[in-house]
Amino acid sequence: MLNIWAGAETDRSSVETPGAATVSRHRVHPPRRGHGSGHRRYEVIPMRARDVLSRPVVTARPGTPLSEATALLTAHGFAALPVIDEQGCVVGMLSESDALAAGPGIPDKTVEAAMSTPVEVVTPTTDTATIASRMLTGRLRSMPVVAAGLLVGIVARRDLLRILLSDDATIDAKIRALLDDYAGSGR
């Protein structure tokens, strides 16, 4: 979900993570009265996990047969599946590497026997530069997004790559389409 700010000026400053690429969007501020220049100011607002996450998330349970979870990985083209308990809390991750390492006898094993723990998670407010840095440092291909202990989405490397390819015109068009859907095209 995109956060859309309409016309209000703020004193929020730019946030950058040292040593990490900053992935951000621009907020346009209207000119202040009395300044007369008519130029627009741009403030860099870091994108957050909530802006790029994918959902619904395909998951597995600890007791799921490993062969079934591996079929989900391959059928959907995922690098990893979050493993959740009955309450929806992330208890592990099953990656392609975990499934390969399980070796022969996959039909007899469960996800719990092959999953990786502990799981590195992010919150919806984690900025994308931090996510990218943690993914690169930890050699992770995806990270679950957790709010109040529950899985709400997942951010994969391809989600971060998509925002690098988005230019301002594309972002503007998406925001206008969302506003049209929300307010009707007659606004």
Side-chain angles (χ1 to χ4, degrees):
M1 177 181 221
L2 291 175
N3 287 329
I4 302 169
W5 294 273
E9 284 203 38
T10 68
D11 54 12
R12 187 189 283 196
S13 61
S14 300
V15 178
E16 293 185 13
T17 303
T22 301
V23 181
S24 60
R25 86 180 113 203
H26 296 81
R27 183 191 298 182
V28 179
H29 294 279
R32 292 187 197 167
R33 290 193 178 136
H35 288 82
S37 67
H39 294 291
R40 294 181 182 255
R41 293 186 305 130
Y42 290 93
E43 179 182 354
V44 177
I45 305 292
M47 291 188 77
R48 308 272 180 209
R50 68 177 169 248
D51 300 321
V52 299
L53 62 80
S54 297
R55 63 177 155 197
V57 183
V58 176
T59 61
R61 303 273 181 163
T64 303
L66 188 55
S67 58
E68 186 179 315
T70 303
L72 284 173
L73 281 171
T74 58
H76 294 284
F78 297 142
L81 292 175
V83 182
I84 59 170
D85 62 14
E86 296 78 30
Q87 289 79 34
C89 298
V90 179
V91 295
M93 285 291 281
L94 179 70
S95 68
E96 294 168 318
S97 299
D98 296 331
L100 282 172
I106 284 182
D108 301 329
K109 296 180 181 173
T110 64
V111 168
E112 188 171 27
M115 71 184 187
S116 297
T117 58
V119 181
E120 193 164 345
V121 299
V122 296
T123 65
T125 59
T126 305
D127 68 81
T128 53
T130 301
I131 296 169
S133 177
R134 288 173 61 186
M135 282 182 166
L136 292 171
T137 302
R139 303 184 81 126
L140 304 170
R141 294 182 65 189
S142 59
M143 295 182 77
V145 181
V146 175
L150 301 177
L151 180 68
V152 295
I154 192 163
V155 176
R157 286 182 182 178
R158 80 179 68 86
D159 296 322
L160 298 176
L161 289 172
R162 268 191 216 108
I163 56 175
L164 292 176
L165 295 175
S166 294
D167 61 355
D168 288 343
T170 304
I171 293 169
D172 184 51
K174 288 180 183 178
I175 290 172
R176 289 184 189 284
L178 286 170
L179 287 171
D180 284 346
D181 287 345
Y182 180 75
S185 58
R187 55 175 188 91

